[in-house]
Amino acid sequence: METRAPTHEDYLAAGRGELSAEEFKAALPHATAAVRDLIFPNEPDGSEEWARAVMAACEVDAAYGCSGGIMEGGGFTVGSFSWNPGTEGASTYRSDMEAAVRRELLGTPLLYTGIGGTR
């Protein structure tokens, strides 16, 4: 079932207004993918709760530079210079994304993975 993703107008109508239209558009693909991953094996149902979860995920992705968490846990070395982002005590893209999406979907069947589910 194909579900229409929320628009920036839906985002503003829901009382959220932190993101510009450009930021929302850039974050939307990462947000919908993150929500789909967390509700698997369920399918997006187009419900208000699903739309709110996508909007919350857009805000998280935008807070990380609309990156989809690309540098999460990564580091690099060039010559004698090394850079590795410290994760001790800091939240990560994945944990922030999961917390935001779960907050919006709590109590809905979208988080139900069936008997013996691993989530």
Side-chain angles (χ1 to χ4, degrees):
M1 177 174 119
E2 189 64 32
T3 304
R4 182 186 71 83
T7 64
H8 188 254
E9 290 74 28
D10 297 332
Y11 175 75
L12 295 175
R16 299 176 179 265
E18 300 174 19
L19 304 179
S20 69
E22 294 79 25
E23 289 173 315
F24 186 84
K25 183 179 178 182
L28 190 58
H30 301 136
T32 54
V35 173
R36 183 177 284 275
D37 181 53
L38 283 170
I39 67 172
F40 181 81
N42 300 308
E43 289 292 320
D45 62 2
S47 65
E48 181 181 335
E49 293 83 4
W50 174 81
R52 282 196 327 255
V54 172
M55 292 176 208
C58 281
E59 291 172 350
V60 171
D61 191 59
Y64 282 86
C66 299
S67 66
I70 197 162
M71 282 298 290
E72 179 180 274
F76 64 89
T77 301
V78 177
S80 63
F81 175 77
S82 288
W83 179 79
N84 193 355
T87 57
E88 185 140 347
S91 61
T92 64
Y93 177 89
R94 186 177 300 267
S95 65
D96 289 348
M97 183 66 77
E98 186 171 334
V101 171
R102 286 187 182 277
R103 251 190 321 269
E104 298 298 336
L105 295 178
L106 188 64
T108 70
L110 287 171
L111 288 179
Y112 179 71
T113 59
I115 297 173
T118 59
R119 295 187 193 246

